[in-house]
Amino acid sequence: MRGNGVSLFFLPSDAAIRQFGSLVPRRLFGTAVGRNYARRRLREYFRRNKELFPVNCQILVRLYAAPKDWNDFFVELDRLLKVARKKAASRFGAPGANEERAR
């Protein structure tokens, strides 16, 4: 699934845990410092929002454009993850995929 500057790929997993990976191309962030910063932001997002990620799935987040505003980027990522949870539930039968996040 592709959103504004980001794509999500998800595959079924045998493990009953949430698995997350990130792909940050060198051409988006010229230095290792920039790429590591983006990876840290994505890992922190995953840590704080684990309930958004489907269980029994491996999720890969790939950046296609460097976010100008990280808050807007995370709103877009929230939207994509809600769609991914529904698709994961229908395709893989991921448990808890139909639960909505309480805000």
Side-chain angles (χ1 to χ4, degrees), residues 29-40:
F29 301 92
T31 64
V33 173
R35 289 190 304 277
N36 290 336
Y37 177 76
R39 287 186 190 111
R40 275 195 309 273

Side-chain angles (χ1 to χ4, degrees), residues 55-68:
V55 180
N56 293 346
C57 286
Q58 299 173 351
I59 297 276
L60 175 68
V61 177
R62 187 197 193 290
L63 296 180
Y64 283 102
K68 291 180 176 67

Side-chain angles (χ1 to χ4, degrees), residues 45-85:
Y45 177 82
F46 174 71
R47 187 185 69 80
R48 290 185 179 192
N49 299 291
K50 284 186 182 180
E51 67 277 356
L52 288 178
F53 290 79
V55 180
N56 293 346
C57 286
Q58 299 173 351
I59 297 276
L60 175 68
V61 177
R62 187 197 193 290
L63 296 180
Y64 283 102
K68 291 180 176 67
D69 181 16
W70 282 96
N71 292 327
D72 292 341
F73 172 78
F74 290 136
V75 168
E76 177 70 10
L77 194 55
D78 282 344
R79 184 189 68 78
L80 287 174
L81 283 170
K82 287 179 184 177
V83 174
R85 285 173 62 88

